[in-house]
Amino acid sequence: MATIRDVAKLAGVSVATVSRVLNKNSYVNKDTEQKVVKAIEQLQYEPNTVARGLAGKETGTIALILPDISNPFFPVIARGVEDVAQRHGYTVILCNSDDHGQKEKGYIEMLRKKYVDGMIFASSTLSEEDVEQMRKNKIPLVVLDRALTSQSYSVIRARNYEGAKLAVRHLLDIGCKKIAHLYGPQEMITAKERLQGYEDSVKHAPWYTPSLMLPGHFHMDGGLRAVKDLMEKHSDIDGIFCGNDLMAVGALKGLHQLGIRVPDDVALIGFDGISLTEITQPELSTIAQPNYDMGKLAAEVLFEAIQSGVVQPKLYELEVTLIERDSTARKPTDRP
Amino acid sequence: MATIRDVAKLAGVSVATVSRVLNKNSYVNKDTEQKVVKAIEQLQYEPNTVARGLAGKETGTIALILPDISNPFFPVIARGVEDVAQRHGYTVILCNSDDHGQKEKGYIEMLRKKYVDGMIFASSTLSEEDVEQMRKNKIPLVVLDRALTSQSYSVIRARNYEGAKLAVRHLLDIGCKKIAHLYGPQEMITAKERLQGYEDSVKHAPWYTPSLMLPGHFHMDGGLRAVKDLMEKHSDIDGIFCGNDLMAVGALKGLHQLGIRVPDDVALIGFDGISLTEITQPELSTIAQPNYDMGKLAAEVLFEAIQSGVVQPKLYELEVTLIERDSTARKPTDRP
DNA sequence: TAATATTGTGTAACCGGTTACATATAAATT
DNA sequence: AATTTATATGTAACCGGTTACACAATATTA
């Protein structure tokens, strides 16, 4: 492979000049530039990213740290990130943290040693200490689904609270008379906000009682188990808002096992808008958040920070939309 | 951040000695080693991966190139790869090729410039030319789901042919009298082998006719459309073997729309064993291939090649297993 | 016209490691 | 005791870029 010195020799100039042509960051005579360009083409020269990285420039690499790529919520986000990165000539290192603080720390350490140009976090366990470390090392940082508590990173999130209200409103609109909620781990701000949205929507209803809120851990099994508990305690509920789609799928399974019909007996709505919701029977209504766009935006914001060299911490809140499907397809008149 | 020269100074030795302690590849006196180790600890020194990479050593990075991480078939494989990599202290660069040769070439070029230590391909479009390029650059390569045609890489694959036979046999066992097959893109060896397995299983059956084999493009929509065509032409079929689970999900949807009951009227079985099959109603029977293990094995084989420095091209064929679920839950006596 | 600013290019140090080569001492062999 | 071999360490070149600094030529300003 040709090096910058080969190019310099062929063009009859110094390596510094070649470097200047490549980076367009200093004066270069038009004619000289032409000579260099010609030499580069002739040798099919491509600058070496590793050497460049070592010399203090960008390494052309960003990292995406998420809990688990096999959780169907993340692949689309990852795809959004990767598409943008690819367009910028960057590659993406994928890390599965399992929401495990220690594993996360290990990754951060490793990535720092690799001089990654920036990181995107989709994880609820990112510690302030880690954030501080990255700030010190001037590694730009973008975080998904967090509160904006630090002055050193931008946050991308969906309007969870509003989405939750939207979901409950929809259930009420189709005539639900008693609505339960399955919520996720309260360390996650998304889970918390969705629960809050539910609570604020229903707390003044005559039928409201705290036991209508059950934990489902954002997982399918959790949803399944929770819904069975729920129906035992409250056999008269006719609507369930699940804090995420995975739990909704589990709930649907559970209801089916109990012989309860969806949406006729109980209407069901999830949150996230992952593709799973289209393959259940009945298809699941959901509050969709723009997952691909979240990944895309995260990457765009990150590159903005990388290129400008300044971190302008900012909060991006993305709109969510109600997607009505069969699991809430009930005429208001069905249940007088 | 401390450098190797800082360590050398503190320990009162040369950088070469420090490097030797680090790499354990030459003589170092026990006492000297102790001094160096102490200095390393004191300074919390960690060798810089980028510098190491430039100096001709490993970069601690491998690449995983697959068509699309948002295709539910791949996340689990990716997870398998990443887990092994992480255990070896490596990071994984994720690339989405969209099965687009040109994009793939671009990635390979980029990854070569980054000195990745090896690549794993899960893509049907990898060209011989690219393979040759990587062989020349001595970049170890492991490929998923391909025929073993080259002497320069190992292949990990599932027993597709046998799996297809297993699927058809199962449908026959539960009493199916006329079985159709939806197949995937024939450029993919997996699709081809599964089709072959079906054909060989049924070609001597009295009801066999080529029009029982329809293309479904390995996608949900394709499966849905194909099944509608199919039922129009052959309203009497009572079993469908789908070349992958995604098509089976589509087929299930299609059958449901046509008012055909699964498994009572038509039994349905897929291939792959992705998690989607557990959330449909009815749950889908499938021929499961060990996706996580395939990713894991791919990475292990790759690291073996990286560490030994020799490519020992080998074919790994993994077993598949029949998973019986509701979509084929029919007593042989149900249909006399 | 002299002084100053702008443009253009090369030399060499630097990023942070690895390693070929040289050299020295201790241990083993003849 | 002399020679060979194994052990131990340092010096400096190298990987392939970037860039501070020096210097020259040209353009602009006073």
Side-chain angles (χ1 to χ4, degrees):
Chain A
M1 210 68 300
T3 74
I4 197 170
R5 288 170 226 270
D6 297 332
V7 175
K9 193 172 290 174
L10 181 60
V13 299
S14 73
V15 291
T17 301
V18 178
S19 179
R20 287 183 191 115
V21 171
L22 287 153
N23 297 296
K24 310 185 194 304
N25 54 6
S26 181
Y27 302 114
V28 176
N29 181 287
K30 273 274 168 253
D31 294 350
T32 317
E33 181 173 350
Q34 276 316 305
K35 278 193 296 182
V36 172
V37 168
K38 194 168 280 175
I40 287 176
E41 276 169 12
Q42 220 172 100
L43 295 172
Q44 295 204 55
Y45 167 75
E46 296 254 19
N48 179 311
T49 329
V50 179
R52 219 176 214 177
L54 180 58
K57 279 285 197 170
E58 288 161 26
T59 53
T61 310
I62 61 171
L64 172 62
I65 302 183
L66 38 75
D68 181 7
I69 190 68
S70 60
N71 176 330
F73 179 73
F74 294 110
V76 176
I77 292 181
R79 184 67 210 250
V81 170
E82 212 273 317
D83 280 357
V84 174
Q86 132 97 0
R87 220 172 299 138
H88 285 249
Y90 273 66
T91 53
V92 177
I93 290 179
L94 178 74
C95 308
N96 297 99
S97 73
D98 286 320
D99 262 332
H100 192 296
Q102 210 46 49
K103 215 176 158 187
E104 211 161 87
K105 257 191 221 327
Y107 273 123
I108 294 176
E109 185 55 27
M110 201 159 177
L111 295 165
R112 200 178 50 69
K113 283 196 314 201
K114 290 203 172 171
Y115 292 170
V116 296
D117 296 329
M119 300 193 198
I120 297 175
F121 261 87
S123 153
S124 49
T125 50
L126 179 61
S127 74
E128 277 307 318
E129 182 190 342
D130 291 339
V131 171
E132 178 54 20
Q133 222 232 88
M134 302 184 59
R135 199 192 52 70
K136 262 198 274 177
N137 286 287
K138 295 194 197 306
I139 304 175
L141 181 60
V142 172
V143 173
L144 274 77
D145 286 334
R146 275 210 140 202
L148 182 61
T149 55
S150 165
Q151 285 306 302
S152 57
Y153 56 76
S154 283
V155 171
I156 316 285
R157 49 211 261 35
R159 293 197 183 277
N160 295 297
Y161 182 82
E162 291 77 5
K165 292 206 136 185
L166 201 58
V168 175
R169 164 106 330 264
H170 175 56
L171 290 177
L172 291 170
D173 282 350
I174 62 167
C176 290
K177 296 280 180 284
K178 190 168 178 184
I179 301 169
H181 176 56
L182 308 190
Y183 59 83
Q186 291 298 295
E187 312 88 70
M188 296 195 193
I189 183 114
T190 48
K192 210 164 174 169
E193 290 177 335
R194 293 170 193 179
L195 174 59
Q196 196 61 53
Y198 163 80
E199 219 176 340
D200 289 355
S201 299
V202 302
K203 64 184 168 197
H204 295 304
W207 46 262
Y208 173 72
T209 156
S211 65
L212 287 171
M213 302 179 287
L214 282 86
H217 314 288
F218 269 180
H219 281 305
M220 206 170 108
D221 283 354
L224 193 149
R225 245 168 273 146
V227 87
K228 289 189 171 173
D229 275 12
L230 179 66
M231 297 314 292
E232 202 166 299
K233 274 187 264 182
H234 299 279
S235 58
D236 57 335
I237 65 145
D238 57 358
I240 306 177
F241 162 44
C242 296
N244 77 349
D245 288 334
L246 239 34
M247 289 193 299
V249 169
L252 183 60
K253 241 186 172 35
L255 291 170
H256 183 256
Q257 287 173 13
L258 295 171
I260 298 170
R261 292 170 308 164
V262 176
D264 311 76
D265 302 328
V266 172
L268 194 59
I269 184 166
F271 203 120
D272 280 350
I274 61 180
S275 62
L276 287 192
T277 53
E278 290 180 72
I279 71 158
T280 54
Q281 177 56 39
E283 291 186 15
L284 280 170
S285 296
T286 187
I287 304 296
Q289 54 180 86
N291 281 328
Y292 181 86
D293 290 337
M294 281 175 73
K296 191 175 159 221
L297 181 60
E300 280 164 354
V301 169
L302 185 66
F303 283 123
E304 181 57 39
I306 290 174
Q307 264 140 34
S308 72
V310 277
V311 210
Q312 182 62 258
K314 210 167 144 187
L315 175 66
Y316 298 83
E317 286 198 301
L318 278 67
E319 299 299 330
V320 295
T321 50
L322 166 67
I323 299 188
E324 293 189 49
R325 298 218 188 85
D326 297 340
S327 72
T328 59
R330 196 204 287 169
K331 296 265 159 46
T333 49
D334 280 7
R335 285 201 147 206
Chain B
M1 211 64 305
T3 74
I4 197 170
R5 290 172 225 270
D6 298 331
V7 175
K9 193 171 292 174
L10 181 60
V13 299
S14 74
V15 291
T17 302
V18 178
S19 179
R20 285 180 194 119
V21 171
L22 256 37
N23 297 297
K24 309 184 195 306
N25 54 6
S26 181
Y27 302 115
V28 175
N29 183 285
K30 272 274 167 254
D31 294 349
T32 316
E33 181 173 350
Q34 277 315 305
K35 280 193 296 183
V36 172
V37 167
K38 195 169 280 176
I40 287 175
E41 276 169 13
Q42 220 171 102
L43 295 172
Q44 295 203 53
Y45 167 76
E46 297 253 21
N48 179 310
T49 329
V50 178
R52 218 174 213 179
L54 180 57
K57 278 285 197 165
E58 286 161 27
T59 53
T61 310
I62 61 171
L64 172 62
I65 302 183
L66 38 76
D68 181 8
I69 189 68
S70 59
N71 175 332
F73 179 72
F74 294 110
V76 176
I77 292 182
R79 184 67 211 249
V81 170
E82 212 274 316
D83 280 357
V84 175
Q86 133 97 359
R87 220 172 299 138
H88 285 248
Y90 274 66
T91 53
V92 178
I93 291 179
L94 178 74
C95 307
N96 297 99
S97 73
D98 287 321
D99 262 334
H100 192 296
Q102 210 46 48
K103 216 175 157 188
E104 211 161 86
K105 256 191 220 327
Y107 272 122
I108 294 177
E109 185 54 28
M110 200 157 176
L111 295 166
R112 199 178 51 67
K113 282 197 315 202
K114 292 205 171 170
Y115 293 169
V116 296
D117 297 328
M119 301 193 199
I120 297 174
F121 263 86
S123 153
S124 49
T125 50
L126 179 62
S127 74
E128 277 306 318
E129 183 190 340
D130 291 338
V131 171
E132 179 54 22
Q133 223 233 87
M134 301 185 56
R135 198 192 53 71
K136 262 198 271 176
N137 286 286
K138 294 194 198 307
I139 304 175
L141 181 61
V142 172
V143 174
L144 274 76
D145 286 335
R146 275 209 140 201
L148 182 62
T149 56
S150 165
Q151 286 305 301
S152 57
Y153 55 77
S154 283
V155 170
I156 316 283
R157 49 210 264 25
R159 294 196 182 277
N160 294 296
Y161 181 82
E162 291 77 4
K165 291 205 137 185
L166 201 59
V168 175
R169 164 108 328 265
H170 175 56
L171 290 177
L172 292 170
D173 282 351
I174 62 167
C176 290
K177 296 279 181 285
K178 191 169 178 185
I179 300 168
H181 177 57
L182 309 189
Y183 59 83
Q186 292 298 294
E187 312 87 72
M188 297 197 192
I189 183 119
T190 49
K192 210 163 175 170
E193 290 176 335
R194 293 171 194 180
L195 174 59
Q196 195 61 52
Y198 163 81
E199 218 175 342
D200 289 355
S201 299
V202 302
K203 64 185 168 195
H204 295 305
W207 46 262
Y208 173 71
T209 157
S211 64
L212 285 172
M213 301 178 288
L214 282 85
H217 314 288
F218 269 179
H219 282 304
M220 206 170 108
D221 283 353
L224 194 151
R225 245 169 272 146
V227 87
K228 287 190 171 172
D229 275 13
L230 179 68
M231 298 314 291
E232 203 166 300
K233 273 187 265 181
H234 299 279
S235 58
D236 58 335
I237 67 145
D238 58 357
I240 307 177
F241 163 44
C242 297
N244 77 350
D245 288 334
L246 238 34
M247 290 193 298
V249 169
L252 183 60
K253 243 186 168 33
L255 292 171
H256 183 255
Q257 287 174 12
L258 295 171
I260 298 171
R261 292 169 307 165
V262 176
D264 312 76
D265 301 328
V266 172
L268 194 58
I269 185 167
F271 203 119
D272 280 349
I274 62 179
S275 63
L276 286 192
T277 53
E278 291 180 70
I279 72 158
T280 54
Q281 177 57 38
E283 290 186 15
L284 280 170
S285 295
T286 187
I287 304 296
Q289 55 181 86
N291 282 328
Y292 181 87
D293 290 337
M294 281 175 75
K296 190 174 159 221
L297 181 60
E300 279 163 355
V301 169
L302 184 65
F303 283 123
E304 181 57 40
I306 290 174
Q307 263 139 35
S308 73
V310 278
V311 210
Q312 181 63 258
K314 211 168 143 187
L315 174 66
Y316 298 83
E317 285 197 302
L318 277 67
E319 298 300 330
V320 296
T321 51
L322 166 67
I323 299 188
E324 292 189 48
R325 297 218 188 86
D326 297 339
S327 72
T328 59
R330 195 201 287 168
K331 298 265 158 48
T333 48
D334 280 8
R335 284 200 147 208

